[in-house]
mmCIF file of all heavy atoms in Angstrom:
data_model
loop_
_atom_site.group_PDB
_atom_site.id
_atom_site.type_symbol
_atom_site.label_atom_id
_atom_site.label_comp_id
_atom_site.label_asym_id
_atom_site.label_seq_id
_atom_site.Cartn_x
_atom_site.Cartn_y
_atom_site.Cartn_z
ATOM 1 N N GLY A 11 -17.346 34.199 -114.833
ATOM 2 C CA GLY A 11 -17.561 33.265 -115.964
ATOM 3 C C GLY A 11 -16.318 32.777 -116.673
ATOM 4 O O GLY A 11 -16.408 32.047 -117.647
ATOM 5 N N LYS A 12 -15.189 33.243 -116.219
ATOM 6 C CA LYS A 12 -13.901 32.869 -116.878
ATOM 7 C C LYS A 12 -13.021 32.189 -115.843
ATOM 8 O O LYS A 12 -13.169 32.329 -114.601
ATOM 9 C CB LYS A 12 -13.184 34.097 -117.420
ATOM 10 C CG LYS A 12 -13.952 34.796 -118.505
ATOM 11 C CD LYS A 12 -13.146 35.951 -119.062
ATOM 12 C CE LYS A 12 -13.921 36.624 -120.204
ATOM 13 N NZ LYS A 12 -13.125 37.782 -120.771
ATOM 14 N N GLU A 13 -12.030 31.379 -116.337
ATOM 15 C CA GLU A 13 -11.062 30.766 -115.498
ATOM 16 C C GLU A 13 -10.031 31.741 -115.044
ATOM 17 O O GLU A 13 -9.754 32.725 -115.708
ATOM 18 C CB GLU A 13 -10.439 29.625 -116.252
ATOM 19 C CG GLU A 13 -11.343 28.453 -116.603
ATOM 20 C CD GLU A 13 -10.643 27.289 -117.233
ATOM 21 O OE1 GLU A 13 -9.451 27.396 -117.522
ATOM 22 O OE2 GLU A 13 -11.284 26.218 -117.350
ATOM 23 N N ARG A 14 -9.379 31.426 -113.898
ATOM 24 C CA ARG A 14 -8.312 32.243 -113.430
ATOM 25 C C ARG A 14 -7.176 32.186 -114.412
ATOM 26 O O ARG A 14 -6.804 31.088 -114.924
ATOM 27 C CB ARG A 14 -7.890 31.761 -112.067
ATOM 28 C CG ARG A 14 -6.861 32.599 -111.386
ATOM 29 C CD ARG A 14 -6.443 32.020 -110.014
ATOM 30 N NE ARG A 14 -7.487 32.231 -108.986
ATOM 31 C CZ ARG A 14 -8.153 31.207 -108.426
ATOM 32 N NH1 ARG A 14 -7.944 29.983 -108.763
ATOM 33 N NH2 ARG A 14 -9.083 31.552 -107.507
ATOM 34 N N GLU A 15 -6.547 33.284 -114.654
ATOM 35 C CA GLU A 15 -5.420 33.393 -115.615
ATOM 36 C C GLU A 15 -4.240 34.085 -114.959
ATOM 37 O O GLU A 15 -4.389 34.968 -114.125
ATOM 38 C CB GLU A 15 -5.872 34.091 -116.923
ATOM 39 C CG GLU A 15 -6.192 35.553 -116.717
ATOM 40 C CD GLU A 15 -6.465 36.287 -118.020
ATOM 41 O OE1 GLU A 15 -6.047 35.795 -119.093
ATOM 42 O OE2 GLU A 15 -7.110 37.343 -117.946
ATOM 43 N N LEU A 16 -3.086 33.730 -115.425
ATOM 44 C CA LEU A 16 -1.868 34.362 -115.003
ATOM 45 C C LEU A 16 -1.713 35.675 -115.760
ATOM 46 O O LEU A 16 -1.754 35.761 -116.986
ATOM 47 C CB LEU A 16 -0.649 33.460 -115.306
ATOM 48 C CG LEU A 16 0.737 34.037 -114.865
ATOM 49 C CD1 LEU A 16 0.832 34.061 -113.373
ATOM 50 C CD2 LEU A 16 1.824 33.207 -115.501
ATOM 51 N N VAL A 17 -1.550 36.715 -114.971
ATOM 52 C CA VAL A 17 -1.378 38.078 -115.591
ATOM 53 C C VAL A 17 0.088 38.458 -115.718
ATOM 54 O O VAL A 17 0.508 38.987 -116.747
ATOM 55 C CB VAL A 17 -2.090 39.099 -114.725
ATOM 56 C CG1 VAL A 17 -1.856 40.513 -115.172
ATOM 57 C CG2 VAL A 17 -3.586 38.825 -114.685
ATOM 58 N N ALA A 18 0.863 38.234 -114.646
ATOM 59 C CA ALA A 18 2.244 38.604 -114.648
ATOM 60 C C ALA A 18 3.011 37.760 -113.620
ATOM 61 O O ALA A 18 2.488 37.463 -112.597
ATOM 62 C CB ALA A 18 2.440 40.103 -114.304
ATOM 63 N N GLY A 19 4.242 37.472 -113.899
ATOM 64 C CA GLY A 19 5.110 36.688 -113.044
ATOM 65 C C GLY A 19 6.411 37.325 -112.948
ATOM 66 O O GLY A 19 6.873 37.986 -113.876
ATOM 67 N N ILE A 20 7.108 37.105 -111.828
ATOM 68 C CA ILE A 20 8.421 37.675 -111.624
ATOM 69 C C ILE A 20 9.253 36.677 -110.814
ATOM 70 O O ILE A 20 8.802 36.146 -109.803
ATOM 71 C CB ILE A 20 8.391 39.026 -110.953
ATOM 72 C CG1 ILE A 20 9.834 39.630 -110.826
ATOM 73 C CG2 ILE A 20 7.720 38.986 -109.580
ATOM 74 C CD1 ILE A 20 9.828 41.115 -110.421
ATOM 75 N N ASP A 21 10.433 36.314 -111.349
ATOM 76 C CA ASP A 21 11.249 35.378 -110.664
ATOM 77 C C ASP A 21 12.179 35.990 -109.633
ATOM 78 O O ASP A 21 12.198 37.189 -109.498
ATOM 79 C CB ASP A 21 12.021 34.458 -111.668
ATOM 80 C CG ASP A 21 13.107 35.148 -112.423
ATOM 81 O OD1 ASP A 21 13.563 36.214 -112.042
ATOM 82 O OD2 ASP A 21 13.526 34.630 -113.467
ATOM 83 N N SER A 22 12.982 35.181 -108.979
ATOM 84 C CA SER A 22 13.799 35.657 -107.869
ATOM 85 C C SER A 22 14.964 36.560 -108.305
ATOM 86 O O SER A 22 15.570 37.259 -107.518
ATOM 87 C CB SER A 22 14.365 34.519 -107.059
ATOM 88 O OG SER A 22 15.089 33.624 -107.893
ATOM 89 N N ASP A 23 15.231 36.519 -109.602
ATOM 90 C CA ASP A 23 16.272 37.403 -110.210
ATOM 91 C C ASP A 23 15.653 38.750 -110.730
ATOM 92 O O ASP A 23 16.398 39.592 -111.206
ATOM 93 C CB ASP A 23 16.961 36.729 -111.368
ATOM 94 C CG ASP A 23 17.807 35.580 -110.871
ATOM 95 O OD1 ASP A 23 18.496 35.733 -109.823
ATOM 96 O OD2 ASP A 23 17.834 34.541 -111.557
ATOM 97 N N GLY A 24 14.311 38.870 -110.594
ATOM 98 C CA GLY A 24 13.693 40.088 -111.080
ATOM 99 C C GLY A 24 13.220 40.073 -112.490
ATOM 100 O O GLY A 24 12.721 41.083 -112.992
ATOM 101 N N TYR A 25 13.292 38.963 -113.133
ATOM 102 C CA TYR A 25 12.851 38.840 -114.552
ATOM 103 C C TYR A 25 11.335 38.641 -114.503
ATOM 104 O O TYR A 25 10.812 37.751 -113.837
ATOM 105 C CB TYR A 25 13.533 37.771 -115.297
ATOM 106 C CG TYR A 25 15.026 37.972 -115.489
ATOM 107 C CD1 TYR A 25 15.974 37.322 -114.796
ATOM 108 C CD2 TYR A 25 15.437 38.918 -116.489
ATOM 109 C CE1 TYR A 25 17.344 37.553 -114.999
ATOM 110 C CE2 TYR A 25 16.794 39.149 -116.668
ATOM 111 C CZ TYR A 25 17.714 38.466 -115.920
ATOM 112 O OH TYR A 25 19.086 38.735 -116.140
ATOM 113 N N ALA A 26 10.657 39.423 -115.330
ATOM 114 C CA ALA A 26 9.230 39.403 -115.344
ATOM 115 C C ALA A 26 8.675 38.988 -116.713
ATOM 116 O O ALA A 26 9.336 39.180 -117.749
ATOM 117 C CB ALA A 26 8.669 40.770 -115.006
ATOM 118 N N ASN A 27 7.509 38.383 -116.702
ATOM 119 C CA ASN A 27 6.807 38.097 -117.932
ATOM 120 C C ASN A 27 5.341 38.423 -117.714
ATOM 121 O O ASN A 27 4.815 38.412 -116.619
ATOM 122 C CB ASN A 27 7.037 36.660 -118.359
ATOM 123 C CG ASN A 27 6.442 35.641 -117.437
ATOM 124 O OD1 ASN A 27 5.244 35.295 -117.441
ATOM 125 N ND2 ASN A 27 7.257 35.170 -116.455
ATOM 126 N N TYR A 28 4.665 38.692 -118.853
ATOM 127 C CA TYR A 28 3.308 39.152 -118.789
ATOM 128 C C TYR A 28 2.409 38.467 -119.812
ATOM 129 O O TYR A 28 2.872 38.052 -120.897
ATOM 130 C CB TYR A 28 3.247 40.695 -119.064
ATOM 131 C CG TYR A 28 4.082 41.498 -118.140
ATOM 132 C CD1 TYR A 28 5.441 41.793 -118.393
ATOM 133 C CD2 TYR A 28 3.544 41.979 -116.916
ATOM 134 C CE1 TYR A 28 6.247 42.496 -117.505
ATOM 135 C CE2 TYR A 28 4.305 42.717 -116.068
ATOM 136 C CZ TYR A 28 5.629 42.953 -116.310
ATOM 137 O OH TYR A 28 6.372 43.713 -115.443
ATOM 138 N N ALA A 29 1.144 38.364 -119.432
ATOM 139 C CA ALA A 29 0.209 37.938 -120.446
ATOM 140 C C ALA A 29 0.157 39.032 -121.580
ATOM 141 O O ALA A 29 0.339 40.159 -121.384
ATOM 142 C CB ALA A 29 -1.215 37.812 -119.853
ATOM 143 N N ASP A 30 -0.042 38.503 -122.852
ATOM 144 C CA ASP A 30 -0.062 39.401 -123.965
ATOM 145 C C ASP A 30 -1.078 40.531 -123.763
ATOM 146 O O ASP A 30 -0.863 41.648 -124.209
ATOM 147 C CB ASP A 30 -0.387 38.634 -125.241
ATOM 148 C CG ASP A 30 0.773 37.805 -125.671
ATOM 149 O OD1 ASP A 30 1.904 38.016 -125.228
ATOM 150 O OD2 ASP A 30 0.597 36.842 -126.547
ATOM 151 N N SER A 31 -2.188 40.235 -123.086
ATOM 152 C CA SER A 31 -3.259 41.210 -122.953
ATOM 153 C C SER A 31 -2.826 42.375 -122.081
ATOM 154 O O SER A 31 -3.528 43.451 -122.124
ATOM 155 C CB SER A 31 -4.449 40.522 -122.375
ATOM 156 O OG SER A 31 -4.230 39.962 -121.083
ATOM 157 N N VAL A 32 -1.841 42.269 -121.251
ATOM 158 C CA VAL A 32 -1.436 43.355 -120.357
ATOM 159 C C VAL A 32 -0.041 43.860 -120.633
ATOM 160 O O VAL A 32 0.375 44.817 -119.982
ATOM 161 C CB VAL A 32 -1.556 42.925 -118.861
ATOM 162 C CG1 VAL A 32 -2.937 42.350 -118.572
ATOM 163 C CG2 VAL A 32 -0.508 41.922 -118.495
ATOM 164 N N LYS A 33 0.649 43.207 -121.512
ATOM 165 C CA LYS A 33 2.075 43.612 -121.789
ATOM 166 C C LYS A 33 2.134 45.041 -122.250
ATOM 167 O O LYS A 33 1.370 45.483 -123.090
ATOM 168 C CB LYS A 33 2.630 42.639 -122.866
ATOM 169 C CG LYS A 33 4.098 42.742 -123.057
ATOM 170 C CD LYS A 33 4.670 41.605 -123.967
ATOM 171 C CE LYS A 33 4.439 40.248 -123.340
ATOM 172 N NZ LYS A 33 4.963 39.143 -124.176
ATOM 173 N N GLY A 34 3.057 45.792 -121.651
ATOM 174 C CA GLY A 34 3.229 47.186 -121.969
ATOM 175 C C GLY A 34 2.427 48.080 -121.082
ATOM 176 O O GLY A 34 2.605 49.283 -121.127
ATOM 177 N N ARG A 35 1.430 47.505 -120.369
ATOM 178 C CA ARG A 35 0.547 48.298 -119.489
ATOM 179 C C ARG A 35 0.776 48.018 -118.047
ATOM 180 O O ARG A 35 0.572 48.917 -117.174
ATOM 181 C CB ARG A 35 -0.903 48.106 -119.910
ATOM 182 C CG ARG A 35 -1.231 48.456 -121.311
ATOM 183 C CD ARG A 35 -2.730 48.342 -121.544
ATOM 184 N NE ARG A 35 -3.232 46.972 -121.365
ATOM 185 C CZ ARG A 35 -4.156 46.621 -120.481
ATOM 186 N NH1 ARG A 35 -4.698 47.533 -119.707
ATOM 187 N NH2 ARG A 35 -4.557 45.392 -120.386
ATOM 188 N N PHE A 36 1.125 46.744 -117.715
ATOM 189 C CA PHE A 36 1.263 46.377 -116.305
ATOM 190 C C PHE A 36 2.758 46.137 -115.997
ATOM 191 O O PHE A 36 3.537 45.667 -116.857
ATOM 192 C CB PHE A 36 0.490 45.053 -116.005
ATOM 193 C CG PHE A 36 -0.980 45.231 -116.016
ATOM 194 C CD1 PHE A 36 -1.607 46.316 -116.501
ATOM 195 C CD2 PHE A 36 -1.762 44.107 -115.600
ATOM 196 C CE1 PHE A 36 -3.003 46.413 -116.501
ATOM 197 C CE2 PHE A 36 -3.158 44.189 -115.614
ATOM 198 C CZ PHE A 36 -3.782 45.323 -116.063
ATOM 199 N N THR A 37 3.124 46.397 -114.765
ATOM 200 C CA THR A 37 4.454 46.131 -114.306
ATOM 201 C C THR A 37 4.442 45.414 -112.915
ATOM 202 O O THR A 37 3.866 45.949 -112.003
ATOM 203 C CB THR A 37 5.312 47.396 -114.169
ATOM 204 O OG1 THR A 37 5.350 48.099 -115.445
ATOM 205 C CG2 THR A 37 6.700 47.042 -113.731
ATOM 206 N N ILE A 38 5.047 44.293 -112.866
ATOM 207 C CA ILE A 38 5.086 43.532 -111.568
ATOM 208 C C ILE A 38 6.495 43.753 -110.936
ATOM 209 O O ILE A 38 7.478 43.885 -111.595
ATOM 210 C CB ILE A 38 4.841 42.011 -111.819
ATOM 211 C CG1 ILE A 38 4.730 41.321 -110.549
ATOM 212 C CG2 ILE A 38 5.925 41.396 -112.731
ATOM 213 C CD1 ILE A 38 4.319 39.827 -110.663
ATOM 214 N N SER A 39 6.473 43.821 -109.672
ATOM 215 C CA SER A 39 7.699 43.969 -108.910
ATOM 216 C C SER A 39 7.630 43.185 -107.614
ATOM 217 O O SER A 39 6.540 42.833 -107.179
ATOM 218 C CB SER A 39 7.998 45.447 -108.613
ATOM 219 O OG SER A 39 6.971 46.022 -107.851
ATOM 220 N N ARG A 40 8.741 42.860 -107.049
ATOM 221 C CA ARG A 40 8.800 42.122 -105.758
ATOM 222 C C ARG A 40 9.911 42.664 -104.941
ATOM 223 O O ARG A 40 10.960 43.124 -105.405
ATOM 224 C CB ARG A 40 8.967 40.591 -105.998
ATOM 225 C CG ARG A 40 10.288 40.162 -106.599
ATOM 226 C CD ARG A 40 10.296 38.673 -106.930
ATOM 227 N NE ARG A 40 10.360 37.787 -105.732
ATOM 228 C CZ ARG A 40 10.281 36.508 -105.739
ATOM 229 N NH1 ARG A 40 10.081 35.857 -106.962
ATOM 230 N NH2 ARG A 40 10.346 35.832 -104.645
ATOM 231 N N ASP A 41 9.680 42.596 -103.644
ATOM 232 C CA ASP A 41 10.661 43.039 -102.646
ATOM 233 C C ASP A 41 10.699 41.919 -101.618
ATOM 234 O O ASP A 41 9.894 41.877 -100.738
ATOM 235 C CB ASP A 41 10.314 44.361 -102.021
ATOM 236 C CG ASP A 41 11.335 44.905 -101.091
ATOM 237 O OD1 ASP A 41 12.210 44.129 -100.610
ATOM 238 O OD2 ASP A 41 11.352 46.135 -100.839
ATOM 239 N N ASP A 42 11.704 41.029 -101.813
ATOM 240 C CA ASP A 42 11.772 39.876 -100.958
ATOM 241 C C ASP A 42 12.108 40.223 -99.471
ATOM 242 O O ASP A 42 11.700 39.552 -98.545
ATOM 243 C CB ASP A 42 12.849 38.866 -101.456
ATOM 244 C CG ASP A 42 12.371 38.167 -102.706
ATOM 245 O OD1 ASP A 42 11.280 38.494 -103.207
ATOM 246 O OD2 ASP A 42 13.128 37.247 -103.139
ATOM 247 N N ALA A 43 12.789 41.377 -99.283
ATOM 248 C CA ALA A 43 13.139 41.813 -97.973
ATOM 249 C C ALA A 43 11.891 42.252 -97.183
ATOM 250 O O ALA A 43 11.838 42.134 -95.955
ATOM 251 C CB ALA A 43 14.124 42.949 -98.018
ATOM 252 N N LYS A 44 10.892 42.760 -97.935
ATOM 253 C CA LYS A 44 9.648 43.167 -97.305
ATOM 254 C C LYS A 44 8.523 42.235 -97.519
ATOM 255 O O LYS A 44 7.373 42.414 -96.980
ATOM 256 C CB LYS A 44 9.220 44.476 -97.906
ATOM 257 C CG LYS A 44 10.184 45.660 -97.592
ATOM 258 C CD LYS A 44 9.686 46.973 -98.150
ATOM 259 C CE LYS A 44 10.620 48.145 -97.779
ATOM 260 N NZ LYS A 44 10.151 49.424 -98.368
ATOM 261 N N ASN A 45 8.762 41.114 -98.281
ATOM 262 C CA ASN A 45 7.757 40.119 -98.521
ATOM 263 C C ASN A 45 6.524 40.693 -99.208
ATOM 264 O O ASN A 45 5.424 40.427 -98.804
ATOM 265 C CB ASN A 45 7.384 39.350 -97.229
ATOM 266 C CG ASN A 45 8.577 38.663 -96.556
ATOM 267 O OD1 ASN A 45 9.345 37.981 -97.247
ATOM 268 N ND2 ASN A 45 8.724 38.839 -95.235
ATOM 269 N N THR A 46 6.823 41.470 -100.192
ATOM 270 C CA THR A 46 5.737 42.160 -100.941
ATOM 271 C C THR A 46 5.834 41.963 -102.435
ATOM 272 O O THR A 46 6.989 41.840 -102.906
ATOM 273 C CB THR A 46 5.595 43.671 -100.571
ATOM 274 O OG1 THR A 46 6.840 44.299 -100.945
ATOM 275 C CG2 THR A 46 5.341 43.899 -99.103
ATOM 276 N N VAL A 47 4.742 41.973 -103.110
ATOM 277 C CA VAL A 47 4.695 41.926 -104.546
ATOM 278 C C VAL A 47 3.677 42.944 -105.007
ATOM 279 O O VAL A 47 2.570 42.971 -104.452
ATOM 280 C CB VAL A 47 4.379 40.524 -105.080
ATOM 281 C CG1 VAL A 47 4.397 40.485 -106.627
ATOM 282 C CG2 VAL A 47 5.232 39.471 -104.501
ATOM 283 N N ASN A 48 4.022 43.763 -105.955
ATOM 284 C CA ASN A 48 3.160 44.802 -106.430
ATOM 285 C C ASN A 48 2.875 44.671 -107.901
ATOM 286 O O ASN A 48 3.609 44.013 -108.661
ATOM 287 C CB ASN A 48 3.725 46.190 -106.167
ATOM 288 C CG ASN A 48 3.939 46.477 -104.688
ATOM 289 O OD1 ASN A 48 5.088 46.720 -104.270
ATOM 290 N ND2 ASN A 48 2.938 46.344 -103.916
ATOM 291 N N LEU A 49 1.712 45.229 -108.301
ATOM 292 C CA LEU A 49 1.329 45.247 -109.684
ATOM 293 C C LEU A 49 0.871 46.624 -110.046
ATOM 294 O O LEU A 49 -0.190 47.088 -109.606
ATOM 295 C CB LEU A 49 0.245 44.232 -109.997
ATOM 296 C CG LEU A 49 -0.146 44.053 -111.484
ATOM 297 C CD1 LEU A 49 0.979 43.470 -112.267
ATOM 298 C CD2 LEU A 49 -1.409 43.248 -111.606
#
């Protein structure tokens, strides 16, 4: 019943940002060498 929302993003330099609702609880990471992104 809700629209899709952005939870967390991470740029190519490793800088991350989070929705206020998850800030402090979620951590996003990326490994470009392995082509993976984790939350």
Side-chain angles (χ1 to χ4, degrees):
K12 297 183 179 180
E13 294 186 351
R14 185 181 286 114
E15 65 173 341
L16 180 70
V17 175
I20 183 167
D21 70 20
S22 58
D23 293 318
Y25 293 106
N27 64 86
Y28 302 89
D30 288 342
S31 60
V32 308
K33 193 171 295 183
R35 299 187 297 119
F36 291 10
T37 302
I38 187 172
S39 61
R40 67 187 287 174
D41 187 338
D42 288 5
K44 296 181 178 180
N45 300 313
T46 59
V47 185
N48 299 121
L49 184 69

